[in-house]
Amino acid sequence: GENVEQHPSTLSVQEGDSAVIKCTYSDSASNYFPWYKQELGKGPQLIIDIRSNVGEKKDQRIAVTLNKTAKHFSLHITETQPEDSAVYFCAARGYGQNFVFGPGTRLSVLP
Amino acid sequence: SAVISQKPSRDICQRGTSLTIQCQVDSQVTMMFWYRQQPGQSLTLIATANQGSEATYESGFVIDKFPISRPNLTFSTLTVSNMSPEDSSIYLCSVRTEVGNEKLFFGSGTQLSVL
């Protein structure tokens, strides 16, 4: 079955700097890759997603890139702000399959 | 997206008791799921809640321990039965809103502590 790895497990950046979180997946049939942000005491919030027929997608300060050949995808956050501090989860899903989530990255943005 | 309400938001329970968690969505959805998030961990799928029929459980989860109901397209319950401290987790309801739409949305979760 699918296996999703995520790095780093923790990440600290200065406010205004960029943050990058990387995930790798094992099943080449996976075709949908969302990213979630989870703040303390809240459920995961979908922040951006990408399908396998697209290499990059941007939404304001966040972007996701996908390399199907290498089977990895990354979340990029630019101009980080303290409110970006949270746990971020990546996930992968193949057609007709359930989502498999990565172990999470705790991002701290230092003022 | 959909507005997903979970009740209770948190509870502290005694060993051996059961707790039923409710999930209400503000619109009809195609699929509803229940996830568990153990402390500091990622999300693990417990089961898919099927409308009008028995839920589909993932490996390691059984109906006797986690009975699930889904009487209609907007509501589901998860019961955690005969609880032990190992059941202390966040339980999350999630939904997919329409056929062909991959997006998965989560409720705010139920923080369960078992003493």
Side-chain angles (χ1 to χ4, degrees), chain A residues 10-39:
Chain A
T10 61
L11 178 61
S12 293
V13 299
Q14 290 294 135
E15 182 177 358
D17 287 349
S18 296
V20 180
I21 303 170
K22 182 176 177 179
C23 286
T24 60
Y25 60 99
S26 61
D27 188 351
S28 57
S30 289
N31 59 8
Y32 176 66
F33 308 93
W35 284 91
Y36 289 86
K37 174 184 181 182
Q38 187 175 27
E39 297 174 281

Side-chain angles (χ1 to χ4, degrees), chain A residues 69-102:
Chain A
T69 302
K71 288 189 283 189
H72 68 71
F73 56 111
S74 299
L75 176 71
H76 304 255
I77 306 174
T78 59
E79 301 174 19
T80 53
Q81 302 168 2
E83 50 266 38
D84 294 328
S85 295
V87 179
Y88 291 81
F89 293 97
C90 63
R93 179 180 184 269
Y95 181 78
Q97 302 299 311
N98 291 317
F99 287 81
V100 176
F101 288 84

Side-chain angles (χ1 to χ4, degrees), chain A residues 32 36 38 41-44 46 49 51 89 93 98-99 101-103, chain B residues 33 35 37 41-43 45 58 92 96 102-108:
Chain A
Y32 176 66
Y36 289 86
Q38 187 175 27
K42 297 184 178 180
L46 178 65
D49 56 6
R51 296 191 58 85
F89 293 97
R93 179 180 184 269
N98 291 317
F99 287 81
F101 288 84
Chain B
F33 308 90
Y35 282 81
Q37 186 176 27
Q41 302 297 310
S42 188
L43 296 90
L45 180 63
E58 297 300 305
L92 293 153
R96 286 176 61 194
E102 303 266 14
K103 298 181 190 294
L104 185 69
F105 300 100
F106 287 88
S108 54

